[in-house]
Amino acid sequence: MTVLSTAFLDYHHQIVQKDEEQTLLNNLGNLLVKQGLQVDKCALAHFYVTLKSNKSLLLAGQAQSGKRMLVEGVGRVLTDDPLQAQFMVGHARWASQSQNVTQFVEAQATWNRQRLMILLEEAIRPENADRLYVACLHQISPAELHNLFSSPGLLLFQESDLIPFPPNFRLIGTMDTNRFPWWTPELLSHTAIVQWQPRSIPCIYQSSPLDSGVGKIFLRVCIKHEQIAYPRLLQIFDNQQPFQWLIQVVSLLHDYGVTVPRDAVNQAIVFLANSWTQDGRGLFASSLSENLLVAYDLALGQYILPWIATTKHAGFALNRQIERLFNGRFPYATAFLETLLGDV
């Protein structure tokens, strides 16, 4: 499982030495450090790989943990024009002391939908297909989870057609919460939930200037479909089985009455494939075996295990079986599972 094919190595020894994607990620890290946010490199790479893999994602974590700074840093680094990144108030908490809370909340939601529509209109234009557009709603409430993050597009008005998110568009939400209990099949099918718990440790990012068109670089390196992700992983791990753990975990969950949709498995596969640069370098670790372990750890905790919360049949017997299967390999997924089963 950890051996690169000779053909793959020969191919990547012939490519240019400059890895634009690693430079892009390092530049983002440097910007955050300059703004005062010390983010663990693995946590930053986790968010970045999720951004590559999903059109819609949510950062859920404690207040004042750097979520807003991270998202705004992404908007600055990955977009070529300030108008391509829009930052909005997700929920009208500012109206909590007024006498017309409901009216103000609806007004804020309407304003957000209109701004999203304008951004989508630009992103959908054929001449903008290679430009990245980012919309971020800060401090959303559970209502926004249902209205904006549980479908593959924007419903501008009731009874109207859904406007799908194009490939060059990213919807990002941040939510202040110490625990996230709002798991639904609709949300899991369309949005990746990143449990944001960055370790504030000093990091030094070796960066260098990138050519213009950073958004174009980002969109080019994104693997969007499982039809590309599967052969990509098989190419890296020649004559091995890179899907073994995924198959075992899904089968075990099925034995305990937890149905994991095929789309969720495909999401995990896309995330795994996006954990390498186009030049074949790991985004989490330089060692291929270590990069695979970290990517699997995050993919299982982010795309597969949350489906346990959609069934009433989960229990601590399942927890023991999964931990036995993990055998200490996946600390992130194990910690997530313990929290999840404590809530269901």
Side-chain angles (χ1 to χ4, degrees):
M1 184 181 295
T2 62
V3 181
L4 270 177
S5 66
T6 303
F8 187 80
L9 277 173
D10 290 343
Y11 169 76
H12 285 288
H13 282 160
Q14 297 172 12
I15 61 175
V16 294
Q17 292 184 351
K18 179 183 178 182
D19 191 320
E20 291 181 316
E21 189 171 9
Q22 285 192 327
T23 299
L24 188 158
L25 185 57
N26 287 335
N27 285 349
L28 175 58
N30 272 331
L31 175 63
L32 296 176
V33 169
K34 290 178 181 179
Q35 292 179 340
L37 180 62
Q38 298 284 352
V39 181
D40 174 37
K41 288 186 177 181
C42 186
L44 179 60
H46 178 191
F47 174 79
Y48 174 79
V49 174
T50 305
L51 192 70
K52 288 176 65 179
S53 307
N54 298 86
K55 297 177 185 177
S56 176
L57 61 151
L58 173 69
L59 283 175
Q62 293 182 348
Q64 306 300 319
S65 59
K67 299 186 296 297
R68 184 184 188 116
M69 195 179 298
L70 171 65
V71 173
E72 294 186 356
V74 165
R76 293 177 184 175
V77 171
L78 296 184
T79 56
D80 306 311
D81 187 314
L83 295 178
Q84 291 173 233
Q86 295 293 316
F87 307 101
M88 294 163 264
V89 176
H91 185 75
R93 289 177 175 81
W94 50 267
S96 60
Q97 302 301 318
S98 72
Q99 295 181 351
N100 299 305
V101 176
T102 302
Q103 180 180 354
F104 284 128
V105 168
E106 181 55 36
Q108 181 72 58
T110 300
W111 172 238
N112 287 343
R113 287 195 296 269
Q114 291 174 344
R115 291 182 67 182
L116 282 169
M117 182 61 203
I118 294 171
L119 199 63
L120 281 171
E121 285 181 341
E122 290 298 311
I124 292 171
R125 292 179 182 274
E127 64 269 25
N128 292 332
D130 60 353
R131 306 178 74 186
L132 179 67
Y133 290 79
V134 178
C136 179
L137 283 82
H138 290 300
Q139 293 183 309
I140 68 170
S141 72
E144 284 76 46
L145 290 178
H146 173 73
N147 294 330
L148 290 174
F149 289 86
S150 296
S151 65
L154 174 65
L155 186 65
L156 193 59
F157 304 107
Q158 292 296 329
E159 308 301 329
S160 65
D161 292 334
L162 195 72
I163 303 169
F165 296 150
N168 61 330
F169 177 83
R170 294 295 186 274
L171 175 65
I172 308 174
T174 70
M175 177 179 263
D176 292 343
T177 178
N178 293 329
R179 50 185 292 273
F180 188 88
W182 300 283
W183 307 104
T184 65
E186 294 77 18
L187 180 64
L188 289 172
S189 296
H190 302 298
T191 294
I193 314 299
V194 179
Q195 304 286 310
W196 184 245
Q197 296 177 332
R199 291 181 295 168
S200 297
I201 60 175
C203 291
I204 299 176
Y205 295 90
Q206 300 296 327
S207 62
S208 59
L210 276 171
D211 297 332
S212 60
V214 177
K216 183 183 298 187
I217 295 172
F218 174 79
L219 292 172
R220 188 180 69 240
V221 300
C222 292
I223 295 176
K224 306 177 185 68
H225 305 292
E226 65 273 10
Q227 293 91 340
I228 300 174
Y230 275 92
R232 166 71 168 164
L233 288 169
L234 290 173
Q235 179 189 29
I236 295 175
F237 297 96
D238 184 42
N239 296 324
Q240 302 292 329
Q241 176 50 274
F243 313 115
Q244 177 182 355
W245 290 318
L246 185 58
I247 294 171
Q248 290 177 345
V249 172
V250 171
S251 297
L252 179 58
L253 293 180
H254 182 268
D255 292 342
Y256 279 81
V258 179
T259 300
V260 179
R262 180 68 182 183
D263 284 346
V265 176
N266 289 336
Q267 288 175 343
I269 292 295
V270 169
F271 181 91
L272 291 174
N274 275 319
S275 299
W276 276 267
T277 72
Q278 283 194 328
D279 293 354
R281 306 177 190 182
L283 287 169
F284 296 110
S286 57
S287 164
L288 284 169
S289 58
E290 184 179 352
N291 194 72
L292 181 64
L293 281 172
V294 175
Y296 244 115
D297 190 10
L298 298 172
L300 290 171
Q302 187 160 288
Y303 298 101
I304 304 301
L305 297 183
W307 285 92
I308 295 173
T310 66
T311 180
K312 297 180 180 179
H313 303 293
F316 288 97
L318 173 59
N319 187 11
R320 289 193 297 269
Q321 290 294 328
I322 293 179
E323 287 187 353
R324 186 177 297 115
L325 177 62
F326 285 176
N327 194 27
R329 296 186 187 95
F330 307 124
Y332 175 87
T334 299
F336 171 81
L337 179 64
E338 291 174 352
T339 301
L340 183 67
L341 291 179
D343 292 335
V344 298

